[in-house]
Amino acid sequence: MTAKDYFHDAVKTALVKDEWLITHDPLFLDFDNSKIQVDLAGEKLIAAERGLQKIAVEVKSFMSPSIVYAFHLALGQCLSYRLALRDQDPGRQLYLAVPDFIYRDFFRRPFAQSVLEEAQISLLIFEPSQEVIVQWIAAPQN
C-alpha cells in the first residue's frame, strides 16, 4: 500500500462538499498486469444532463524541493492512469488535484501551461485549509 498524499483528505473533503459521492479510495486498476492506484474516484448526478459524471482524481502536494521534478512525476502518472482508465473505465475523466498556491505560483507559467496543453491534463484546483474546490479546468483540446 502506498502512502496517501499530504492533501489527500483535504481533496476528499472538498469533493464531498461539492456534492461528489466518493466511490473509491483509492481506485484500483489492473492494466496489463501493472497494478495502478488512482487516489480517489467519485460520481455526481448532473441534473441538467440527467446523467452521471464520473471522475478519478490524482492528488499531488508539490511540496518536494524540485517542483519541476514533481510536475514531471505527476504528468507521467496521469498519462499512465489515463491509458488505464481508457481501457477499463472509459466513462471516467481523470483530474490532477493541485493546491491553489501551487497553481498560482507554478501551473500558470507559460512552461507549465504549454506542457499541460500538450499532455491534455485536466486540473482540479483546491484550497487546502478551507478544503474547498476553487476551480475545475478541463484539458485543452488539441
Side-chain angles (χ1 to χ4, degrees):
M1 180 174 205
T2 58
K4 290 181 179 178
D5 186 86
Y6 184 78
F7 292 125
H8 180 95
D9 291 335
V11 172
K12 185 175 179 179
T13 299
L15 287 166
V16 171
K17 285 181 178 177
D18 199 42
E19 301 182 355
W20 286 89
L21 173 65
I22 303 300
T23 57
H24 300 81
D25 181 9
L27 173 64
F28 292 99
L29 302 169
D30 184 356
F31 186 69
D32 192 28
N33 291 322
S34 297
K35 308 293 184 208
I36 294 172
Q37 292 182 47
V38 184
D39 289 325
L40 294 165
E43 296 177 350
K44 185 176 189 178
L45 181 63
I46 307 298
E49 298 175 10
R50 297 180 183 224
L52 193 64
Q53 185 176 7
K54 296 169 55 177
I55 60 171
V57 178
E58 180 61 20
V59 181
K60 291 296 174 201
S61 63
F62 294 96
M63 297 173 74
S64 67
S66 172
I67 193 166
V68 173
Y69 182 73
F71 180 62
H72 289 159
L73 287 177
L75 289 173
Q77 283 183 294
C78 285
L79 293 175
S80 297
Y81 297 170
R82 190 168 60 206
L83 285 173
L85 285 169
R86 188 180 304 153
D87 180 69
Q88 297 184 15
D89 197 350
R92 193 176 298 276
Q93 184 171 2
L94 178 65
Y95 283 87
L96 174 62
V98 178
D100 62 343
F101 61 91
I102 295 294
Y103 177 73
R104 287 190 311 268
D105 291 347
F106 179 77
F107 278 75
R108 293 189 346 190
R109 294 180 185 172
F111 162 72
Q113 288 291 307
S114 294
V115 173
L116 291 170
E117 183 176 332
E118 182 68 25
Q120 298 184 335
I121 303 293
S122 295
L123 299 177
L124 181 169
I125 314 303
F126 66 96
E127 200 291 310
S129 63
Q130 299 293 316
E131 299 181 332
V132 294
I133 296 170
V134 175
Q135 187 176 6
W136 296 89
I137 301 175
Q141 302 298 310
N142 289 338

